């Protein structure tokens, strides 16, 4: 039979089997949850959202399917399969769930595979053996996991993640309000995404299968192969206050691609030099942390570029399908004048826009400080600020919480927290206090009026301490 037809038949059966795996639906549910969290955070901060849950979910699933197809072809080209049993997949998902309790960003195949590799090496080095029962079976399954092939897969996935960050990171970046070191709100961008990657991976065939016309990278002694379809969840999250989203996405994407190539190369070398397996497992952790530290070190010491500086009104983001898009606005630009009036804050901008309800003319300084003039007719029903999200001032009610330390912190208030010392919150507290005092005064007055209206039961009686019987004289 034609080998290509054999592979296509196996691929079709594997894809059908993908829908029977609970991990597939767990991955989709996590993508939807992450998209809903992003939309809820936007509404908390700006009372509007740039991207809805459905849009984010569809774009990420579509991108994940495309990347999964390319990675499946690359995996078969390298012959990079072997050992991905249902028990191995269960170990991976349990490891990711356990790591997520410590850091949400640890939900990553590289961390999970690295952790399993270190546990496997520790088990072999210490000679721990289970006495009987479930513990013994767990150790046997752990020792049978093909960690180098998992790490090679993790490397390929990070190359794909880097490509996705470069392609979608800037387009789907979400603006944020953050609290600066001195307590002053500042603008930022969050480059974040979660993508489900359905993969077709080579595994040894237990019955009928197909042969490969080349020597595979992993499992060279296997004669017959089959295909296993399974989902992998990859995610990325980073923030920037000192770079434009396009610059941050490019830098982060390049770092991830380089990281993935190094981990995949070490994992491939472990097939020929055993001790490289431990090196690859450690590198999966250490280099990933190094990528994050490098990203944050580039942010440190730089002035924030999304903060109001008093020279005008700085733009943080532009809502899709609004007049601001037609006028060519982009993040970081500063509105100096509106309808001929100098503007220094959002209140002045709003008042200036209301001077001409049917038309607006703006003087704008671009990112390089060069002035340009834009004008446009205004129509009923359009956004009152043309679709602009302005960089925050001191009158901000919510800011995004610091990066989530665990999954539990990420669940609280969609990652937002209230600023108790902002003018808005101080005014709200003062209004509530005034309302409480007024309510107490009204209640006291009502009680006094009721007491005055009640008839006096002692009316007409002599005062207390006096006798009702007159005393006889003399």
């Amino acid at each position: 039979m034609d080998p290509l037809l054999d592979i296509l038949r196996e691929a079709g059966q594997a894809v059908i089997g993908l829908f029977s795996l609970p991990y597939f639906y767990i991955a989709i549910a996590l993508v939807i949850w992450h998209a809903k969290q992003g939309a809820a955070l936007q509404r908390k901060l700006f009372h509007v959202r740039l991207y809805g849950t459905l849009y984010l979910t569809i774009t990420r699933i579509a991108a994940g399917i495309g990347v999964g197809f390319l990675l499946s072809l690359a995996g078969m080209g390298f012959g990079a399969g072997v050992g991905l049993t249902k028990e191995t997949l269960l170990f991976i998902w349990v490891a990711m769930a356990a790591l997520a309790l410590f850091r949400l960003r640890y939900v990553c195949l590289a961390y999970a595979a690295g952790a399993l590799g270190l546990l496997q090496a520790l088990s072999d080095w210490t000679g721990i053996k289970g006495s009987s029962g479930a513990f013994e079976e767990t150790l046997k399954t752990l020792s049978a996991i093909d960690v180098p092939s998992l790490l090679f897969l993790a490397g390929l996935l990070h190359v794909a993640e880097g490509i996705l960050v470069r392609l979608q990171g800037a387009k789907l970046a979400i603006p944020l309000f953050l609290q600066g070191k001195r307590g002053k709100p500042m603008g930022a961008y969050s480059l974040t995404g979660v993508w489900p990657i359905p993969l077709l991976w080579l595994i040894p065939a237990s019955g009928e299968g197909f042969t490969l016309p080349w020597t595979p990278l992993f499992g060279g002694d296997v004669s017959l192969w089959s295909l296993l379809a399974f989902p992998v969840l990859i995610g990325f999250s980073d923030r920037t206050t000192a770079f434009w989203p396009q610059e941050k996405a490019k830098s982060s994407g390049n770092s991830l691609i380089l990281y993935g190539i190094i981990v995949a190369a070490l994992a491939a070398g472990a097939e020929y030099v055993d001790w490289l397996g431990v090196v690859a497992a450690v590198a999966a952790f250490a280099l990933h942390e190094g990528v994050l530290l490098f990203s944050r070190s580039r942010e440190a010491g730089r002035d924030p570029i999304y903060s109001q500086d008093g020279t005008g009104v700085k733009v943080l983001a532009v809502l899709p399908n609004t007049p601001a898009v037609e006028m060519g606005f982009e993040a970081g630009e500063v509105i100096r004048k509106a309808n001929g009036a100098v503007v220094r804050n959002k209140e002045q901008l709003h008042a200036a826009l209301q001077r001409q309800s049917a038309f607006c003319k703006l003087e704008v300084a671009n990112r390089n400080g060069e002035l340009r003039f834009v004008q446009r007719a205004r129509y009923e029903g359009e956004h009152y600020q043309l679709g602009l999200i302005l960089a925050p001032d001191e009158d901000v009610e919510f800011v995004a919480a610091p990066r989530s330390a665990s999954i539990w912190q990420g669940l609280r208030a969609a990652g937002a927290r209230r600023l108790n010392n902002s003018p808005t919150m101080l005014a709200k507290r003062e209004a509530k206090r005034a309302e409480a005092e007024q309510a107490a005064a009204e209640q006291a007055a009502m009680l006094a009026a009721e007491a005055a209206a009640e008839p006096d039961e002692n009316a007409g009686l002599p005062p207390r301490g006096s006798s009702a019987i007159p005393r006889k004289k003399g």
Side-chain angles (χ1 to χ4, degrees), residues 252-273:
S252 299
N254 290 342
S255 298
L256 287 169
I257 291 171
L258 179 60
Y259 165 82
I261 291 174
I262 293 174
V263 171
L266 289 173
E271 283 294 297
Y272 307 98
V273 182

Side-chain angles (χ1 to χ4, degrees), residues 4-138:
L4 179 59
L5 292 178
D6 289 341
I7 294 176
L8 291 176
R9 186 189 71 249
E10 289 284 344
Q13 293 176 352
V15 170
I16 293 174
L18 175 67
F19 295 98
S20 65
L21 295 175
Y23 313 113
F24 174 77
Y25 301 100
I26 294 173
I28 297 297
L30 286 174
V31 173
I32 296 173
W33 172 79
H34 188 268
K36 289 184 67 175
Q37 288 291 100
L41 177 58
Q42 294 172 65
R43 288 198 176 277
K44 279 277 187 181
L45 298 179
F46 323 118
H47 308 292
V48 294
R49 54 180 174 80
L50 275 78
Y51 311 108
T53 301
L54 182 61
Y55 176 77
L56 290 174
T57 301
I58 291 176
T59 53
R60 288 170 180 170
I61 290 177
I65 292 174
V67 168
F69 176 75
L70 295 178
L71 285 183
S72 299
L73 292 179
M76 284 188 281
F78 284 108
V82 186
L84 288 179
T85 62
K86 292 182 178 180
E87 291 77 13
T88 299
L89 294 179
L90 178 61
F91 264 79
I92 293 171
W93 279 86
V94 169
M96 287 194 294
L99 290 170
L101 297 177
F102 299 94
R103 295 279 179 182
L104 188 59
R105 58 185 172 83
Y106 287 170
V107 182
C108 173
L109 178 61
Y111 285 116
L116 292 177
L118 292 177
L119 287 175
Q120 189 182 80
L122 182 63
S123 176
D124 294 339
W125 180 63
T126 57
I128 297 176
K129 301 294 181 183
S131 57
S132 61
F135 184 59
E136 181 181 9
E137 292 298 321
T138 300

Side-chain angles (χ1 to χ4, degrees), residues 218-256:
F218 297 94
D221 55 345
V222 177
S223 57
L224 290 177
W225 296 86
S226 181
L227 286 171
L228 172 67
F230 63 97
V232 174
L233 198 67
I234 63 175
F236 175 81
S237 179
D238 204 355
R239 293 176 177 179
T240 180
T241 61
F243 295 95
W244 309 122
Q246 298 83 354
E247 295 175 342
K248 189 67 173 182
K250 181 179 179 181
S251 172
S252 299
N254 290 342
S255 298
L256 287 169

Side-chain angles (χ1 to χ4, degrees), residues 293-310:
L293 290 176
F294 173 72
S295 174
R296 293 176 185 179
S297 67
R298 295 185 71 223
E299 298 279 335
R302 291 178 177 264
D303 294 330
I305 60 176
Y306 301 107
S307 297
Q308 302 291 0
D309 56 9

